[in-house]
Amino acid sequence: MFHLCNIKTFELFQLSLSELEFQLEGDYLIGGLFDIHHVDGPVHHDKPEAIDCASQPLILSSYRRFQLMRFSVEEINNSTNLLPNVSLGYEIFDHCSDIQNFPGILNLISVNVVGPFSKKNFNLTFDNLLSMNLTTISVSAFSEKVKYPSFLRTVHSNKDVIEVIVNIILHFNWRWVAFLNSDDEFGIDGQELFIKRIKDTEICLAYTKGLNDYTNYSKIFRQIEAQRVNIIIVFVPKMTAEPLIESAIQLNVTNKVWIAGDTWSLNKKLPKEKGIRNIGTVLGVSQPVVTIPGFSNFIYSFKSQTHCENAGQQFCNQFCNCSNLSAEDIISMDPSFSFPVYSAVYSIANAIHSVLQCGAGTCNDNITAYPHMVLAELKKSNFTLLNQSIQFDENGDPKFGFYSIIFWNHSGDTEEVGFYKFNPSAHFFINKTKIQWFTDREAPTSVCSPECPVGHAKKQDGIHKCCFNCEICLNGTYVNSTEDPYKCIDCKETEWSAEGSASCNLRVVEYTPFTDSEAILIMVGAWALVGLTLAMSVLFAINYNTPIVRSAGGPMCFLILGCLSLCSLSVFFYFDKPTVSFCILRLLPFILFYTVCLACFVVRSFQIVCVFKMAAKFPKLYSWWIKYHGQWLVITGAFVIQALFLLIGYSCGPPKPYNETRWYPDKIILSCDMGLKANSGPVILLLSLCSLCFIFSYMGKDLPKNYNEAKAITFCLLLLILTWIIFSTVHVLYRGKYIQTLNAFAVLSSLFSFLLWYFLPKCYIIIFQPHKNTQQYFQGLIQNYTKTISQ
């Protein structure tokens, strides 16, 4: 059996037909189902019985396709090329109701079948009863070959129609749409396909509704208006679309874009309705209009004959009354799906041609064409018909054809403005300049929320991703509207962004190189310090036995000067790109050897106070200090403790390079993370020594005026404290690349404070005031001070 199913329902007319139109004898019969009449509304019976289709309103466009099937069969029979010496016949039934036409359907099962019917729930049941189908049904479920292994179709499925509709919506950047579908399997299938297709797009389904005979259109339009939806997709048969659009006109629904499915986009009646322009702009997806050569002549010839015998009905739904309808009325009707009907009949004929091994003017009479044989050949179809290559894919869907994108112009006609081609690869095109929008020149918009400004992320408001608030992205973040418009993304550590950015910029990397002028000056100062300490050491060595050198500390002076030189090594590691070794050497020499310097000055301050104030009061302590060389024990102990602190601290968390990115949004300052925990012990020891030194030196502030070691030490410590207070204040307020230069300067200043204010005055006396560098001069100062204290 062969079965071709038409998927559409169409306009209402009344026509008187002879039952002879429904039947034609032939070697192979093709069955047909066409919804020539349509049941308008529910029909109630006192007992189960079939509908008398002849009494229902007639659909002229479907009648046109009915005649096209008759024409196709007769054209094949009149040809000597396709099926020579073999004739095709047909048995056609008027399928005006999906649920009350079982007699006609069951009769079809008893013959070989072709013919279109509508696509409601009954189709799925009926198609399981048939052994083979060649149909124009577009419901996507029929592509499932496990359920419908013998089903083929000559129109594209709903999936392809939805694909074109979604492409139109995306092309015009519409995001907020309504979807109205018929409340049957065809419409529900379209709705499900649409929801699935827009899942990964920016399109949101604001409103959806299934339409039936009891639909309250006024309520639907109120709800659509409340949602502020401007785009309405209408995926319904022609018989459902007409009352919907007429209601929109009557209810004064305005300023909408209507997207029509292929079932009613070429409607001849609606574009000429009064007030149709008020509802907005109508776009649609349609089957391409293909002119079938010879069909018009067939209709004229047929209508010129007399078919009003009023013969009795031979079988259910193969009869209806005659009509005075002209050939022009039939030819001018909606031409949708003409080529699918035409190609369906020719596909069957070509399959029979292959099975019967038809050749030059004859077919093999010894072969009987069984359904499974024809089905196998149908699946392998590959022939040209009206310049189109007829082929089916593995799902039984057509590999030929395309969809037109049409526009209802102001003249009441449908105008093609674009197309969607399927093979060999999908290609979408639409000419926007041909469309006359209700908004004049510009295409209307339809969004739940207006697009966010650049640099703002969307924060979803409600269940729809199209409804959102806009939040500006903060410094250091950006929003990529293409990848994820709902999230502010953090820039990389090497990048930065201002507030409200759509991308990140590379940060400028800054550090102080060795060639920097400030760095050169500080390094020159460090070398100058080393030179001065060396010169002072030589001077002190020459005058080692003089009172000035011995009062300054004697051999301790050389230790202090040597440690100051070693401390200056740290200065050279504050420049250039920091490394782990550079970060360690920035502090290690300074902290370790400056500890020795401070320990020396602590001891020196203590000795000064002890000599003049404590020797008489604590003779035993003084004796012990002298006997065991207490000053060197203190200095050695301080050095060892500091070395242990540094070893333990750097083992746990050594200083390491650090990129400062928080202080400046557009820069990376290369610096060192010194590690607070690692350096806390050494710093505390330094502060402790500094405090002791200050206490002891301050206690000696009233010593002889010219005997000023304690005063000099106090002054040096005050300069030291002031230097680091200033640096700490600057460090809190500024973290640029020159903070490293300032840090090096603070280190150098700490070294020069002792060199210049403690040692330099003594060098001055040695060189320029040698009379003060005598034993008699110092003894006189001490005697005068002793007399003052005793008084």
Side-chain angles (χ1 to χ4, degrees), residues 51 68 96 179 220 363 387 423 437 441 605 646-647 674 726:
I51 288 288
L68 187 57
C96 62
F179 193 96
I220 288 177
C363 294
N387 297 321
N423 291 304
W437 302 104
R441 296 183 180 180
S605 300
L646 289 170
L647 180 63
M674 294 304 179
I726 293 173

Side-chain angles (χ1 to χ4, degrees), residues 35-330:
D35 48 350
I36 300 172
H37 297 86
H38 176 71
V39 176
D40 190 10
V43 179
H44 301 284
H45 296 287
D46 295 332
K47 59 182 179 179
E49 59 180 298
I51 288 288
D52 179 12
C53 288
S55 63
Q56 303 299 322
L58 184 138
I59 307 173
L60 187 55
S61 53
S62 187
Y63 175 63
R64 184 183 192 275
R65 284 181 281 277
F66 160 79
Q67 294 292 350
L68 187 57
M69 177 182 170
R70 296 180 60 244
F71 163 74
S72 303
V73 172
E74 293 189 19
E75 184 179 62
I76 293 170
N77 287 339
N78 291 331
S79 170
T80 59
N81 296 325
L82 191 54
L83 292 175
N85 74 316
V86 174
S87 63
L88 293 180
Y90 53 76
E91 183 86 6
I92 304 176
F93 292 87
D94 183 5
H95 185 69
C96 62
S97 173
D98 286 327
I99 60 175
Q100 301 179 72
N101 266 11
F102 282 98
I105 292 172
L106 294 175
N107 191 66
L108 270 179
I109 298 175
S110 66
V111 298
N112 299 326
V113 182
V114 149
F117 60 47
S118 66
K119 37 182 190 205
K120 297 187 180 178
N121 295 335
F122 179 71
N123 296 346
L124 297 179
T125 302
F126 175 60
D127 285 310
N128 283 317
L129 299 176
L130 301 177
S131 62
M132 180 179 8
N133 300 290
L134 188 67
T135 180
T136 58
I137 290 181
S138 59
V139 176
S140 61
F142 287 105
S143 295
E144 300 178 21
K145 293 298 100 179
V146 175
K147 293 183 179 179
Y148 309 102
S150 62
F151 187 93
L152 293 89
R153 58 175 141 213
T154 52
V155 295
H156 291 272
S157 71
N158 285 344
K159 182 179 180 181
D160 294 331
V161 181
I162 292 298
E163 180 65 26
V164 181
I165 291 175
V166 170
N167 272 271
I168 294 173
I169 296 171
L170 291 173
H171 181 80
F172 291 107
N173 205 31
W174 293 323
R175 296 292 179 262
W176 196 234
V177 302
F179 193 96
L180 303 181
N181 57 278
S182 54
D183 194 12
D184 55 27
E185 192 212 352
F186 162 71
I188 294 172
D189 179 62
Q191 180 203 61
E192 291 174 349
L193 289 169
F194 182 76
I195 293 173
K196 182 179 179 180
R197 175 61 179 82
I198 67 173
K199 183 178 180 181
D200 295 324
T201 70
E202 292 297 315
I203 302 171
C204 291
L205 184 57
Y207 180 83
T208 183
K209 182 68 176 178
L211 308 181
N212 53 43
D213 295 331
Y214 307 100
T215 298
N216 185 336
Y217 294 114
S218 177
K219 181 179 179 181
I220 288 177
F221 292 130
R222 285 198 308 270
Q223 291 171 336
I224 289 176
E225 197 61 38
Q227 293 277 17
R228 305 188 310 278
V229 181
N230 295 330
I231 311 300
I232 304 175
I233 303 160
V234 183
F235 199 81
V236 299
K238 178 179 179 180
M239 299 303 297
T240 307
E242 289 182 350
L244 173 70
I245 299 301
E246 289 168 354
S247 297
I249 296 172
Q250 295 170 4
L251 295 170
N252 196 29
V253 178
T254 59
N255 299 338
K256 304 294 181 188
V257 175
W258 306 78
I259 301 181
D262 59 343
T263 52
W264 66 281
S265 59
L266 297 181
N267 188 288
K268 299 293 184 180
K269 174 186 176 184
L270 290 175
K272 302 183 184 302
E273 285 282 336
K274 183 179 180 181
I276 189 67
R277 288 181 57 183
N278 295 333
I279 69 171
T281 303
V282 179
L283 301 177
V285 180
S286 75
Q287 295 282 335
V289 178
V290 178
T291 301
I292 309 298
F295 177 63
S296 297
N297 293 334
F298 171 81
I299 295 297
Y300 280 115
S301 174
F302 166 72
K303 291 303 294 181
S304 66
Q305 302 173 17
T306 302
H307 289 281
C308 295
E309 298 91 345
N310 291 323
Q313 184 171 339
Q314 295 188 2
F315 193 81
C316 178
N317 295 337
Q318 286 188 308
F319 174 82
C320 58
N321 293 328
C322 292
S323 171
N324 293 325
L325 197 66
S326 66
E328 288 78 7
D329 292 332
I330 299 173

Side-chain angles (χ1 to χ4, degrees), residues 437-561:
W437 302 104
F438 63 85
T439 53
D440 294 331
R441 296 183 180 180
E442 296 296 327
T445 60
S446 185
V447 294
C448 178
S449 301
E451 283 299 313
C452 290
V454 175
H456 289 68
K458 300 175 181 178
K459 183 178 180 182
Q460 189 167 322
D461 182 15
I463 62 173
H464 293 290
K465 60 185 177 184
C466 296
C467 303
F468 48 80
N469 299 316
C470 297
E471 291 185 352
I472 192 168
C473 291
L474 302 178
N475 292 336
T477 65
Y478 72 101
V479 60
N480 188 328
S481 299
T482 304
E483 294 183 1
D484 188 358
Y486 297 90
K487 182 181 180 181
C488 290
I489 307 170
D490 292 331
C491 292
K492 297 178 181 178
E493 187 177 327
T494 57
E495 298 175 336
W496 73 280
S497 67
E499 186 178 66
S501 295
S503 62
C504 293
N505 303 309
L506 286 175
R507 291 175 181 261
V508 177
V509 179
E510 291 190 350
Y511 61 93
T512 304
F514 285 119
T515 55
D516 189 84
S517 57
E518 290 82 1
I520 293 173
L521 287 175
I522 289 177
M523 289 187 290
V524 169
W527 283 115
L529 183 139
V530 173
L532 285 174
T533 57
L534 181 62
M536 289 179 182
S537 297
V538 172
L539 182 63
F540 277 31
I542 295 173
N543 297 275
Y544 182 75
N545 292 317
T546 61
I548 284 292
V549 175
R550 297 185 64 92
S551 66
M556 199 178 293
C557 293
F558 299 103
L559 179 61
I560 296 172
L561 289 171

